Amino acid sequence: MVTKWEITIPELTGTETRNIYLYLPESYEYDLEKRYPVLYMFDGHNVFFDSDATYGKSWGMKEYMDYTHTQLIIVAVECNHSPDHGRLKEYSPFTFRDPSLGVIEGWGRMTMNWLVHRLKADIDQRFRTLPQREHTFIAGSSMGGLMSLYAVLEYNSVFSRAAALSPSLWTAPDKLEWLIRRSSLLPDTVIYMDYGSNEMKNHKAMPYQFKKVASQLLERHVLLNCRIVPGGEHCEASWERQIPFLMGTLLYPFSSAN
Protein backbone atom coordinates (compact mmCIF):
# COMPACT_ATOMS: atom_id res chain seq x y z
CA MET A 1 0.00 0.00 0.00
CA VAL A 2 1.30 3.43 -0.96
CA THR A 3 -0.12 6.58 0.55
CA LYS A 4 0.97 10.12 -0.21
CA TRP A 5 0.42 13.50 1.35
CA GLU A 6 1.75 17.01 1.00
CA ILE A 7 4.52 18.43 3.18
CA THR A 8 6.59 21.58 3.35
CA ILE A 9 10.32 21.87 4.00
CA PRO A 10 10.66 25.41 5.38
CA GLU A 11 14.45 25.22 5.48
CA LEU A 12 14.60 24.65 1.74
CA THR A 13 11.44 25.90 0.03
CA GLY A 14 9.42 27.79 2.64
CA THR A 15 5.68 27.16 2.34
CA GLU A 16 5.86 25.46 -1.06
CA THR A 17 4.35 21.97 -0.87
CA ARG A 18 5.66 18.72 -2.26
CA ASN A 19 4.55 15.09 -1.98
CA ILE A 20 5.83 12.43 0.33
CA TYR A 21 5.14 8.78 -0.50
CA LEU A 22 4.97 5.99 2.07
CA TYR A 23 4.93 2.28 1.26
CA LEU A 24 3.67 -0.15 3.91
CA PRO A 25 3.79 -3.93 3.43
CA GLU A 26 0.45 -5.73 3.44
CA SER A 27 1.35 -7.34 6.77
CA TYR A 28 1.41 -3.91 8.43
CA GLU A 29 -2.40 -3.98 8.57
CA TYR A 30 -2.77 -7.32 10.37
CA ASP A 31 0.51 -8.05 12.17
CA LEU A 32 0.12 -5.27 14.70
CA GLU A 33 3.13 -6.26 16.80
CA LYS A 34 5.58 -6.27 13.93
CA ARG A 35 8.07 -3.46 13.39
CA TYR A 36 9.85 -2.79 10.10
CA PRO A 37 13.17 -1.50 8.76
CA VAL A 38 12.92 1.70 6.73
CA LEU A 39 14.37 2.68 3.36
CA TYR A 40 14.45 6.42 2.59
CA MET A 41 14.55 7.31 -1.11
CA PHE A 42 15.21 10.46 -3.11
CA ASP A 43 13.09 11.63 -6.08
CA GLY A 44 9.99 10.15 -4.48
CA HIS A 45 7.74 11.11 -7.40
CA ASN A 46 9.70 8.68 -9.60
CA VAL A 47 9.63 5.72 -7.23
CA PHE A 48 6.11 4.26 -7.40
CA PHE A 49 3.76 5.65 -10.04
CA ASP A 50 4.28 6.29 -13.76
CA SER A 51 1.58 8.96 -13.56
CA ASP A 52 3.71 11.02 -11.14
CA ALA A 53 7.12 10.33 -12.69
CA THR A 54 8.95 13.17 -14.42
CA TYR A 55 9.36 11.29 -17.70
CA GLY A 56 6.29 9.06 -17.41
CA LYS A 57 8.20 6.00 -16.17
CA SER A 58 8.71 5.15 -12.50
CA TRP A 59 10.89 2.57 -10.78
CA GLY A 60 7.79 0.40 -10.25
CA MET A 61 8.85 -0.11 -6.66
CA LYS A 62 5.36 -0.98 -5.39
CA GLU A 63 5.01 -3.88 -7.83
CA TYR A 64 8.38 -5.27 -6.81
CA MET A 65 7.68 -4.96 -3.10
CA ASP A 66 4.23 -6.53 -3.37
CA TYR A 67 5.43 -9.38 -5.60
CA THR A 68 8.36 -10.27 -3.32
CA HIS A 69 6.50 -9.60 -0.05
CA THR A 70 9.50 -7.61 1.12
CA GLN A 71 8.97 -6.58 4.73
CA LEU A 72 10.20 -3.02 4.56
CA ILE A 73 8.74 0.48 4.87
CA ILE A 74 9.76 2.91 2.11
CA VAL A 75 9.65 6.68 2.60
CA ALA A 76 10.19 8.65 -0.61
CA VAL A 77 10.19 12.45 -0.81
CA GLU A 78 9.57 14.42 -3.98
CA CYS A 79 12.44 16.59 -5.16
CA ASN A 80 12.54 20.35 -5.63
CA HIS A 81 11.31 21.12 -9.16
CA SER A 82 12.38 24.78 -9.22
CA PRO A 83 13.79 25.73 -12.67
CA ASP A 84 16.58 27.53 -10.82
CA HIS A 85 18.42 24.21 -10.40
CA GLY A 86 16.35 23.42 -7.29
CA ARG A 87 16.92 19.69 -7.46
CA LEU A 88 20.65 20.04 -8.10
CA LYS A 89 21.02 22.34 -5.10
CA GLU A 90 19.07 20.13 -2.70
CA TYR A 91 20.83 16.98 -3.88
CA SER A 92 24.35 18.37 -3.98
CA PRO A 93 26.44 17.82 -0.84
CA PHE A 94 28.99 20.34 -2.09
CA THR A 95 28.99 23.62 -4.00
CA PHE A 96 30.46 22.98 -7.44
CA ARG A 97 31.01 24.68 -10.79
CA ASP A 98 30.02 23.18 -14.12
CA PRO A 99 30.74 24.73 -17.56
CA SER A 100 27.13 24.37 -18.71
CA LEU A 101 25.38 24.95 -15.36
CA GLY A 102 27.53 27.60 -13.71
CA VAL A 103 27.92 27.55 -9.93
CA ILE A 104 25.56 25.20 -8.09
CA GLU A 105 25.19 25.84 -4.38
CA GLY A 106 25.31 22.70 -2.28
CA TRP A 107 22.26 22.41 -0.03
CA GLY A 108 22.81 18.72 0.64
CA ARG A 109 23.60 19.21 4.32
CA MET A 110 20.39 21.17 4.84
CA THR A 111 18.46 18.46 3.01
CA MET A 112 19.93 15.70 5.13
CA ASN A 113 19.56 17.58 8.40
CA TRP A 114 15.85 17.97 7.63
CA LEU A 115 15.52 14.31 6.65
CA VAL A 116 17.35 13.01 9.72
CA HIS A 117 16.06 15.38 12.40
CA ARG A 118 12.56 16.18 11.14
CA LEU A 119 11.32 13.55 8.70
CA LYS A 120 12.84 10.44 10.29
CA ALA A 121 11.73 11.54 13.74
CA ASP A 122 8.17 11.99 12.46
CA ILE A 123 8.11 8.64 10.64
CA ASP A 124 9.48 6.80 13.69
CA GLN A 125 6.81 8.39 15.87
CA ARG A 126 3.86 7.72 13.57
CA PHE A 127 4.68 4.26 12.24
CA ARG A 128 5.95 0.94 13.61
CA THR A 129 9.55 1.27 12.49
CA LEU A 130 12.78 -0.26 13.65
CA PRO A 131 14.47 3.11 14.18
CA GLN A 132 17.96 1.85 14.96
CA ARG A 133 20.85 2.48 12.58
CA GLU A 134 21.14 -1.18 11.54
CA HIS A 135 17.57 -1.05 10.20
CA THR A 136 17.75 2.36 8.48
CA PHE A 137 18.77 2.57 4.81
CA ILE A 138 18.86 5.19 2.06
CA ALA A 139 18.84 5.02 -1.76
CA GLY A 140 18.66 7.13 -4.88
CA SER A 141 19.84 7.56 -8.46
CA SER A 142 21.88 10.19 -10.28
CA MET A 143 22.13 13.19 -7.90
CA GLY A 144 20.03 11.12 -5.49
CA GLY A 145 22.68 8.42 -5.77
CA LEU A 146 25.35 10.95 -4.84
CA MET A 147 23.22 12.04 -1.88
CA SER A 148 22.87 8.44 -0.77
CA LEU A 149 26.65 8.09 -0.69
CA TYR A 150 26.89 11.37 1.20
CA ALA A 151 24.24 10.28 3.69
CA VAL A 152 25.84 6.97 4.60
CA LEU A 153 29.26 8.61 4.90
CA GLU A 154 28.39 11.83 6.74
CA TYR A 155 25.44 10.45 8.74
CA ASN A 156 26.84 7.00 9.38
CA SER A 157 25.43 6.98 12.91
CA VAL A 158 21.94 7.09 11.33
CA PHE A 159 22.23 5.00 8.13
CA SER A 160 24.00 1.65 8.01
CA ARG A 161 23.39 0.90 4.33
CA ALA A 162 22.98 2.83 1.10
CA ALA A 163 22.27 2.19 -2.57
CA ALA A 164 23.74 4.65 -5.08
CA LEU A 165 22.58 4.02 -8.64
CA SER A 166 24.36 5.99 -11.36
CA PRO A 167 25.68 8.47 -8.76
CA SER A 168 26.73 11.89 -10.04
CA LEU A 169 30.36 11.51 -9.05
CA TRP A 170 31.40 14.20 -11.54
CA THR A 171 30.07 17.16 -9.52
CA ALA A 172 32.88 17.64 -6.98
CA PRO A 173 35.23 14.63 -7.06
CA ASP A 174 37.93 16.14 -4.83
CA LYS A 175 35.41 17.03 -2.11
CA LEU A 176 33.88 13.56 -2.28
CA GLU A 177 37.31 11.97 -1.93
CA TRP A 178 37.98 14.14 1.12
CA LEU A 179 34.66 13.07 2.63
CA ILE A 180 35.34 9.38 2.08
CA ARG A 181 38.77 9.64 3.68
CA ARG A 182 37.67 11.59 6.76
CA SER A 183 34.28 9.99 7.53
CA SER A 184 33.87 8.05 10.75
CA LEU A 185 32.54 4.74 9.46
CA LEU A 186 31.35 1.81 11.49
CA PRO A 187 32.67 -1.55 10.25
CA ASP A 188 29.25 -2.85 9.18
CA THR A 189 28.67 -0.07 6.62
CA VAL A 190 27.22 -1.52 3.40
CA ILE A 191 27.02 0.27 0.04
CA TYR A 192 25.57 -0.86 -3.27
CA MET A 193 26.89 1.26 -6.16
CA ASP A 194 26.39 0.79 -9.89
CA TYR A 195 26.69 2.59 -13.20
CA GLY A 196 25.35 1.72 -16.64
CA SER A 197 27.83 0.80 -19.34
CA ASN A 198 25.95 2.91 -21.90
CA GLU A 199 25.85 6.00 -19.68
CA MET A 200 29.61 6.05 -19.06
CA LYS A 201 30.02 8.17 -22.19
CA ASN A 202 27.87 10.94 -20.69
CA HIS A 203 30.87 12.13 -18.66
CA LYS A 204 34.33 11.59 -20.10
CA ALA A 205 36.07 10.94 -16.78
CA MET A 206 33.36 8.69 -15.32
CA PRO A 207 35.08 5.30 -15.87
CA TYR A 208 38.12 6.59 -13.96
CA GLN A 209 36.05 8.36 -11.29
CA PHE A 210 33.80 5.37 -10.66
CA LYS A 211 36.79 3.08 -10.25
CA LYS A 212 38.50 5.62 -7.98
CA VAL A 213 35.51 6.03 -5.66
CA ALA A 214 35.04 2.26 -5.45
CA SER A 215 38.70 1.85 -4.51
CA GLN A 216 38.46 4.58 -1.87
CA LEU A 217 35.41 2.95 -0.31
CA LEU A 218 37.16 -0.41 -0.22
CA GLU A 219 40.19 1.22 1.41
CA ARG A 220 37.83 2.38 4.18
CA HIS A 221 36.68 -1.25 4.58
CA VAL A 222 33.17 -0.50 3.38
CA LEU A 223 31.25 -3.68 2.49
CA LEU A 224 30.83 -2.69 -1.14
CA ASN A 225 28.75 -4.32 -3.86
CA CYS A 226 29.87 -2.57 -7.03
CA ARG A 227 28.60 -3.22 -10.57
CA ILE A 228 28.87 -1.95 -14.10
CA VAL A 229 25.42 -2.69 -15.51
CA PRO A 230 25.62 -4.23 -19.00
CA GLY A 231 23.69 -1.96 -21.33
CA GLY A 232 22.60 0.20 -18.40
CA GLU A 233 21.17 3.64 -19.20
CA HIS A 234 20.60 6.81 -17.17
CA CYS A 235 16.84 6.37 -16.73
CA GLU A 236 14.17 4.95 -14.45
CA ALA A 237 13.54 1.94 -16.70
CA SER A 238 17.17 0.89 -16.27
CA TRP A 239 17.18 1.57 -12.54
CA GLU A 240 14.01 -0.49 -12.14
CA ARG A 241 15.87 -3.51 -13.49
CA GLN A 242 18.51 -3.08 -10.77
CA ILE A 243 16.03 -3.28 -7.88
CA PRO A 244 16.69 -6.99 -7.15
CA PHE A 245 20.43 -6.27 -6.92
CA LEU A 246 20.16 -3.25 -4.65
CA MET A 247 17.48 -4.79 -2.43
CA GLY A 248 19.49 -7.98 -2.13
CA THR A 249 22.42 -5.93 -0.89
CA LEU A 250 20.45 -3.70 1.49
CA LEU A 251 18.66 -6.63 3.09
CA TYR A 252 21.36 -9.31 3.03
CA PRO A 253 21.54 -11.44 5.14
CA PHE A 254 18.23 -10.34 6.69
CA SER A 255 15.08 -12.10 5.56
CA SER A 256 13.10 -9.95 3.12
CA ALA A 257 9.90 -11.94 3.22
CA ASN A 258 7.62 -13.74 5.63
Side-chain angles (χ1 to χ4, degrees):
M1 177 178 68
V2 176
T3 59
K4 71 176 180 177
W5 63 91
E6 290 186 341
I7 61 167
T8 61
I9 307 179
E11 299 92 325
L12 297 169
T13 46
T15 60
E16 181 180 331
T17 61
R18 68 180 80 185
N19 288 318
I20 184 168
Y21 300 76
L22 180 88
Y23 174 86
L24 296 174
E26 182 183 355
S27 63
Y28 192 91
E29 295 298 316
Y30 61 80
D31 193 347
L32 301 182
E33 300 299 317
K34 186 175 179 64
R35 290 185 170 271
Y36 299 81
V38 182
L39 170 63
Y40 292 88
M41 295 188 70
F42 296 100
D43 291 311
H45 54 294
N46 290 333
V47 173
F48 296 110
F49 304 119
D50 291 352
S51 57
D52 289 354
T54 301
Y55 300 108
K57 177 69 185 81
S58 72
W59 287 43
M61 203 70 170
K62 180 182 183 300
E63 288 75 14
Y64 174 87
M65 299 293 286
D66 288 346
Y67 180 77
T68 59
H69 303 290
T70 302
Q71 300 301 289
L72 179 74
I73 292 173
I74 299 178
V75 181
V77 183
E78 186 175 6
C79 77
N80 182 341
H81 296 288
S82 167
D84 185 28
H85 303 305
R87 179 177 176 273
L88 282 177
K89 292 174 181 177
E90 286 190 2
Y91 287 0
S92 178
F94 320 105
T95 296
F96 69 95
R97 179 185 294 275
D98 180 82
S100 61
L101 301 172
V103 175
I104 300 297
E105 295 180 46
W107 295 356
R109 179 173 292 276
M110 284 193 292
T111 300
M112 285 309 305
N113 282 342
W114 170 82
L115 191 153
V116 167
H117 300 298
R118 303 267 311 266
L119 177 61
K120 184 179 185 302
D122 182 54
I123 295 296
D124 289 338
Q125 182 179 34
R126 295 173 57 189
F127 299 94
R128 297 195 311 275
T129 68
L130 292 167
Q132 301 88 353
R133 172 186 177 274
E134 58 264 36
H135 303 295
T136 306
F137 318 133
I138 195 161
S141 60
S142 192
M143 289 299 291
L146 177 63
M147 280 292 286
S148 298
L149 284 178
Y150 172 66
V152 80
L153 294 169
E154 185 71 3
Y155 297 81
N156 195 251
S157 62
V158 178
F159 303 98
S160 61
R161 302 185 175 207
L165 285 73
S166 307
S168 299
L169 306 177
W170 52 271
T171 58
D174 293 340
K175 294 177 181 178
L176 179 60
E177 178 179 358
W178 176 81
L179 176 64
I180 295 172
R181 295 193 183 283
R182 75 160 186 84
S183 294
S184 298
L185 301 179
L186 292 171
D188 62 343
T189 300
V190 174
I191 295 177
Y192 170 89
M193 184 173 70
D194 72 19
Y195 216 87
S197 63
N198 288 350
E199 62 176 320
M200 282 289 182
K201 62 180 179 295
N202 294 343
H203 296 280
K204 184 177 180 181
M206 186 54 68
Y208 168 78
Q209 188 61 26
F210 188 84
K211 177 181 177 181
K212 184 177 181 181
V213 170
S215 297
Q216 291 165 352
L217 292 172
L218 290 172
E219 288 173 6
R220 292 300 318 274
H221 305 292
V222 167
L223 303 175
L224 177 66
N225 183 356
C226 184
R227 302 171 60 235
I228 300 296
V229 179
E233 304 280 358
H234 199 85
C235 65
E236 280 70 24
S238 184
W239 297 325
E240 179 182 15
R241 290 191 286 272
Q242 313 320 312
I243 293 175
F245 297 95
L246 73 93
M247 293 298 286
T249 300
L250 293 180
L251 294 173
Y252 186 86
F254 312 121
S255 173
S256 63
N258 286 333

